[in-house]
Amino acid sequence: MIFLEDIIMLFEIKTIINQASNTNEHLFVKHLGEKMIHWIELEQTLTNSFFENNDLETLKKHNFSLFEELIGDNYKTSYANPDYTVSQFGVELGQLITAIYTDFRICIDKAFKHDIESLESYAKAYLEIANSFLESASINELRQIYKHFKENRLLSDYRSQLTTQSDPSKSFANRIINSSDLSNIKYLFKLGVYITDNEIKTAEFLSNYDIEALNNLMIMTAKAYVKGFETDGKDVSLRNNVQIKYNVGQERMIKALIKAFEAESLTGFYGGLISTPANKQYSYDHRFDNGVYLDETFAKLNTEAFSKVLEEMKAITYDYSGIMYFDKFGETPFSPISKDSCIQYTNEQNKLSQEIRNTNRSKSDEYFKGTETSFCIIAFPVPEIGDNFEAIYADTCKINQLSSEEYLPIQQHIIDALDQSEYVHIKGVEGNETDIKVMHGKLDSPDKQSNYYNCGADVNIPVGEVFTSPVLKNTNGLLHLDVVFLDELKYIDLRLTFEDGYVKDYTCSNFDTEKENRKYIEENLLFPHKTLPLGEFAIGTNTLAYVIAEKYDIVDILPILIVEKMGPHFAIGDTCYTYAEDIDVYNPDGKCIVARDNEKSILRKDDLSKAYTNVHTDITLPYDSIGHINGIQSNGNTIEIIKNGRFVLPGTEKLNEPFN
């Protein structure tokens, strides 16, 4: 249905388009105005009959048209590309225009969700911005208009975010999927995201997948989620709703998971859609777009708005149990281009951004209490991985269903050895220059305490690691990786030097100059910080996952969820116990894990703003890069755990079987 206000706004937008001349600024006004008209009319087009009456090929073309300007060479002349806008308007105005244009593209999502209020809000903002262009307003005046619009959007945006995260009754995806026939893959195009062969072929693959095997896999997954509560000593019955964040195309799988959650007296719901990005460079280019308006005033309004929405939605946030996250792997690796045209934070904005994160995270924990909530992560391949997709999928399921009962006793031997050690020494081999020692805390009661958590397949699937929060002081050395993908970004010859547990120096070989390489690490690994502590050290034990990855030559494209189980890994940032350090955690042998804090996180006792980084990036050293991992005792004696990529500690021999 089209409302009178929509008719009036459409008329006003068309009037502005007709008034605009052919100057660069006015051409932008015309283009964005035409897009606004298209997006408003799109909302009116997206009826049930639209999807019923159009065939699959027509829906594919329609979906592609919504994202076309971001794809391939089209992006070169899109206002969404900072390089193009800066070339047309200069740095200051160009960066403002590209930020505005990218922000307004969210109207596509609002059209699919029939969010009339948001569409009208963006239309009104367009009219104000466009009129300012026609009146030759200054850049500062334009920036203030846009900033005011973003301030007014804060409450609405946070309501939308928290509704998606917490409220099954208002889930857009729930409504679409529950009313659709999943055997007809046209339903994918109702979701408003970019649909590629990954999504279509996944849906087709799962439609032919053995239903009993799928149900059993999801029953295991639901039980793993519940087990995470039990392991951490939390009461799973306190909260009900489980947000399921998944990859589009997996709806049949998620439907089985929701049923499995029902058997555990939990309500699972489609709470977040992930699809293949139309252009990863586009997302990379716009990471800091709020830098065009971020200042102390906006930061204050941001945290106030978040607190207000949390309170007004507390009835539903108090029933949030946690998140079930479906990771994916197999997409073509991405190496971003660093552009001078992109918006960058100033030092002051870096600080403000961190303050917003810390304040909102702290406030959030009052409602999504870490003592009462949990999470679970599992990963599956996408068809883009290649011709071996089905075989890789089958082997991934095999990895995901490995038994905790088999691994936990083996891992306990590793923990017992490490608990006897003052520190652990990790050294690389065959060109890997890693040479680092990681310090342990002293155990006051070794018969009752442990530094390492014995990790089964609960919050992190698959099984296979022991981890600790290292003591930062005297944790020194070099971590070196030839090639590694972190958060889908490629790093070549990555070198991180630690001093007293903090990253002191860093470099890589992605770019031609040292300046570019350091900037890449600063913007992607360290941001918004100048340095980060070593929040976690772990030894992965899932050698089967490693062997399967080598078999298909997919080590470089696996998600960290699986990779971290395939060797020692080092997490820079916060510990694994962030915001839950005061909850006692026990291993299956009854010992309490005491290494839940480090010198950084313990600052929460005096000043919460200094305790957390809101970053946790796992970096894994593959088995074939390991010369040795040794526990070093206070008397200088050595306990060998891994030598030349193989487990040598007595009791761990079974872990080497997959290598054979």
Side-chain angles (χ1 to χ4, degrees):
M1 180 182 295
I2 187 165
F3 296 94
L4 178 61
E5 188 169 0
D6 296 332
I7 296 173
I8 294 172
M9 282 193 294
L10 285 171
F11 175 78
E12 291 177 343
I13 293 172
K14 289 175 182 177
T15 300
I16 285 179
I17 292 172
N18 291 332
Q19 290 175 349
S21 67
N22 288 323
T23 64
N24 279 349
E25 289 84 355
H26 286 203
L27 288 174
F28 168 69
V29 167
K30 285 182 179 180
H31 183 79
L32 183 55
E34 289 165 354
K35 288 289 186 182
M36 281 304 311
I37 291 171
H38 176 65
W39 294 328
I40 292 170
E41 292 176 344
L42 174 66
E43 185 278 325
Q44 299 155 15
T45 300
L46 297 172
T47 61
N48 286 333
S49 60
F50 173 79
F51 296 100
E52 291 170 2
N53 296 337
N54 284 295
D55 61 20
L56 183 61
E57 287 305 312
T58 301
L59 294 177
K60 283 183 182 179
K61 290 176 181 177
H62 179 262
N63 179 266
F64 180 80
S65 71
L66 299 175
F67 302 91
E68 186 173 9
E69 69 173 312
L70 307 180
I71 300 170
D73 287 342
N74 296 333
Y75 188 57
K76 292 180 180 178
T77 55
S78 169
Y79 289 114
N81 184 352
D83 273 353
Y84 177 71
T85 53
V86 166
S87 72
Q88 297 296 303
F89 304 101
V91 174
E92 195 172 4
L93 181 57
Q95 289 182 338
L96 178 59
I97 284 176
T98 199
I100 290 172
Y101 187 72
T102 299
D103 180 18
F104 272 61
R105 282 189 53 82
I106 201 173
C107 289
I108 296 171
D109 176 72
K110 303 302 182 184
F112 274 84
K113 292 178 178 175
H114 299 285
D115 185 350
I116 305 297
E117 182 180 352
S118 290
L119 284 172
E120 290 178 349
S121 170
Y122 274 89
K124 289 176 182 176
Y126 166 78
L127 292 172
E128 189 172 4
I129 291 169
N131 276 316
S132 297
F133 269 109
L134 296 185
E135 294 168 4
S136 301
S138 68
I139 295 175
N140 284 336
E141 288 172 327
L142 288 166
R143 181 179 288 107
Q144 287 304 311
I145 290 170
Y146 181 50
K147 179 191 174 190
H148 184 63
F149 166 65
K150 296 303 292 182
E151 289 170 347
N152 288 338
R153 288 288 310 170
L154 281 168
L155 289 172
S156 178
D157 287 344
Y158 274 130
R159 288 187 187 111
S160 177
Q161 175 187 318
L162 291 176
T163 296
T164 298
Q165 177 181 349
S166 313
D167 194 346
S169 68
K170 295 180 181 177
S171 165
F172 164 70
N174 258 21
R175 175 166 53 83
I176 295 298
I177 295 162
N178 290 339
S179 63
S180 298
D181 175 8
L182 299 188
S183 66
N184 184 347
I185 62 171
K186 290 200 299 183
Y187 78 87
L188 294 172
F189 297 93
K190 298 179 182 180
L191 298 171
V193 296
Y194 185 47
I195 302 297
T196 69
D197 280 351
N198 277 336
E199 290 71 32
I200 293 171
K201 290 181 179 179
T202 297
E204 291 174 339
F205 171 72
L206 289 175
S207 69
N208 296 312
Y209 201 83
D210 181 77
I211 189 64
E212 184 177 356
L214 191 64
N215 288 339
N216 289 338
L217 181 61
M218 291 301 99
I219 289 170
M220 178 220 73
T221 304
K223 289 186 178 298
Y225 177 85
V226 172
K227 182 67 176 176
F229 281 84
E230 296 171 359
T231 301
D232 290 342
K234 301 174 183 177
D235 186 352
V236 71
S237 68
L238 293 177
R239 293 168 177 247
N240 178 62
N241 299 329
V242 184
Q243 178 195 16
I244 304 171
K245 195 167 185 179
Y246 75 99
N247 300 284
V248 174
Q250 295 176 328
E251 287 76 16
R252 190 165 178 262
M253 177 185 287
I254 306 307
K255 194 170 186 178
L257 177 60
I258 290 172
K259 184 177 180 181
F261 273 133
E262 288 176 0
E264 302 291 340
S265 300
L266 294 167
T267 301
F269 68 99
Y270 304 87
L273 306 178
I274 306 167
S275 73
T276 305
N279 182 348
K280 291 183 180 179
Q281 182 67 44
Y282 163 69
S283 301
Y284 187 83
D285 286 346
H286 293 279
R287 293 164 300 148
F288 309 129
D289 275 7
N290 66 341
V292 301
Y293 53 78
L294 178 59
D295 58 15
E296 288 187 11
T297 302
F298 185 86
K300 184 173 184 292
L301 290 172
N302 184 298
T303 53
E304 288 174 351
F306 187 61
S307 294
K308 182 176 181 179
V309 174
L310 280 171
E311 180 61 22
E312 71 180 39
M313 294 182 64
K314 64 182 178 182
I316 193 66
T317 58
Y318 284 165
D319 208 19
Y320 173 84
S321 168
I323 184 170
M324 180 71 232
Y325 183 83
F326 281 67
D327 205 350
K328 62 178 176 177
F329 61 94
E331 292 179 340
T332 303
F334 170 58
S335 294
I337 300 169
S338 184
K339 299 178 179 179
D340 292 336
S341 59
C342 292
I343 299 162
Q344 303 292 330
Y345 280 172
T346 64
N347 289 335
E348 179 62 24
Q349 287 176 323
N350 270 333
K351 182 180 177 183
L352 288 172
S353 175
Q354 181 65 8
E355 287 175 357
I356 290 172
R357 291 186 188 194
N358 285 339
T359 303
N360 286 356
R361 175 65 187 267
S362 177
K363 190 67 180 178
S364 177
D365 196 55
E366 296 177 21
Y367 298 82
F368 304 104
K369 295 182 179 179
T371 56
E372 298 178 3
T373 60
S374 189
F375 66 93
C376 184
I377 310 176
I378 193 169
F380 295 93
V382 295
E384 191 177 333
I385 204 165
D387 294 338
N388 290 321
F389 167 65
E390 293 192 12
I392 295 171
Y393 200 97
D395 278 341
T396 301
C397 289
K398 186 188 300 183
I399 295 168
N400 285 339
Q401 295 181 86
L402 288 171
S403 168
S404 295
E405 286 69 25
E406 182 178 358
Y407 273 75
L408 293 178
I410 299 173
Q411 292 173 176
Q412 190 60 51
H413 291 293
I414 300 173
I415 292 173
D416 291 342
L418 292 170
D419 279 344
Q420 298 173 43
S421 306
E422 183 180 14
Y423 64 90
V424 59
H425 181 220
I426 306 96
K427 188 170 178 59
V429 72
E430 294 184 359
N432 186 285
E433 298 176 31
T434 295
D435 190 349
I436 185 171
K437 69 175 185 177
V438 177
M439 302 302 296
H440 296 147
K442 188 177 185 303
L443 298 176
D444 296 325
S445 302
D447 59 327
K448 298 179 181 179
Q449 297 174 331
S450 177
N451 278 319
Y452 281 79
Y453 182 87
N454 196 344
C455 188
D458 39 54
V459 296
N460 283 327
I461 302 171
V463 69
E465 66 172 311
V466 301
F467 66 81
T468 190
S469 305
V471 171
L472 300 180
K473 185 173 176 57
N474 293 326
T475 289
N476 300 321
L478 171 69
L479 175 60
H480 173 224
L481 291 103
D482 297 326
V483 178
V484 64
F485 287 84
L486 305 173
D487 294 328
E488 299 187 357
L489 300 180
K490 184 178 183 179
Y491 295 82
I492 302 170
D493 196 28
L494 176 65
R495 295 169 183 267
L496 301 177
T497 302
F498 291 86
E499 183 175 288
D500 284 333
Y502 282 83
V503 177
K504 181 184 181 183
D505 200 9
Y506 46 88
T507 188
C508 64
S509 300
N510 286 52
F511 303 98
D512 293 334
T513 67
E514 181 68 0
K515 180 180 179 181
E516 288 179 296
N517 289 321
R518 291 179 65 85
K519 181 182 177 184
Y520 183 60
I521 293 172
E522 288 163 5
E523 290 183 352
N524 297 293
L525 272 186
L526 302 181
F527 179 82
H529 312 279
K530 298 298 183 184
T531 184
L532 286 171
L534 184 63
E536 175 194 1
F537 170 72
I539 297 178
T541 62
N542 200 322
T543 50
L544 177 62
Y546 180 80
V547 169
I548 288 174
E550 288 286 323
K551 170 185 173 183
Y552 297 110
D553 192 23
I554 57 173
V555 174
D556 290 344
I557 58 175
L558 284 176
I560 192 61
L561 174 66
I562 297 177
V563 173
E564 69 178 3
K565 314 297 173 53
M566 292 163 36
H569 67 264
F570 307 75
I572 53 174
D574 295 325
T575 74
C576 296
Y577 300 96
T578 302
Y579 287 92
E581 294 92 344
D582 295 322
I583 302 174
D584 286 337
V585 180
Y586 295 88
N587 274 333
D589 64 356
K591 291 185 180 181
C592 183
I593 314 301
V594 294
R596 304 195 299 270
D597 265 310
N598 61 18
E599 297 95 319
K600 174 74 170 172
S601 64
I602 199 65
L603 297 175
R604 63 195 165 83
K605 300 286 188 179
D606 299 314
D607 187 346
L608 190 67
S609 67
K610 295 180 179 179
Y612 301 121
T613 66
N614 296 307
V615 176
H616 184 94
T617 303
D618 291 304
I619 307 171
T620 300
L621 192 64
Y623 291 120
D624 61 5
S625 297
I626 304 168
H628 71 243
I629 298 180
N630 294 333
I632 310 298
Q633 297 179 304
S634 57
N635 61 8
N637 288 344
T638 295
I639 304 176
E640 292 186 322
I641 297 168
I642 293 179
K643 185 175 182 179
N644 293 326
R646 299 295 181 267
F647 286 87
V648 294
L649 180 72
T652 65
E653 296 86 356
K654 190 175 180 62
L655 297 176
N656 294 324
E657 290 181 3
F659 291 120
N660 300 324

